[in-house]
Amino acid sequence: IRAGRAIEKARRASGDTEAAVPSTPLTAEEQEERRRHARRIREAARSHGLSEAALTTRLMATPAEVTAILRGDLGRLPLARIRRFAAAVARMV
């Protein structure tokens, strides 16, 4: 978890705006899109038999991000990052 936080901190410091949680609340449509993408990622992980570690590598995500997606705890993840992860999953299929 510490390594994941360090990666997130480094991303923010380098100007990666996707790493920052948006300061404005998401609209209902954006929240639904976030849930839909997360569901797609979970389904792909199950169908390919991927562990959290393997999914972390394939998505180039932090362990904390993958755990949040798999558990459905999406409040801390920016929509742009979830979109990027969903696109990476789509390429896996």
Side-chain angles (χ1 to χ4, degrees):
I1 293 176
R2 287 184 192 162
R5 288 183 182 150
I7 291 169
E8 287 177 27
K9 186 176 179 181
R11 284 180 181 161
R12 282 190 215 106
S14 70
D16 183 358
T17 57
E18 287 184 354
V21 175
S23 59
T24 58
L26 296 176
T27 64
E29 294 84 21
E30 290 171 330
Q31 289 176 356
E32 178 56 34
E33 181 183 358
R34 182 189 282 186
R35 283 190 289 273
R36 191 175 54 249
H37 287 314
R39 187 171 39 251
R40 216 174 277 143
I41 293 167
R42 285 192 299 270
E43 289 171 358
R46 282 188 209 111
S47 69
H48 290 290
L50 298 173
S51 65
E52 284 189 37
L55 194 58
T56 300
T57 303
R58 295 228 177 154
L59 296 179
M60 293 187 290
T62 65
E65 290 170 333
V66 171
T67 300
I69 291 170
L70 293 179
R71 291 186 180 168
D73 179 26
L74 304 173
R76 294 186 39 182
L77 294 173
L79 181 57
R81 294 202 43 89
I82 292 177
R83 285 178 181 151
R84 193 183 88 205
F85 298 154
V89 165
R91 287 189 301 268
M92 278 194 306
V93 177

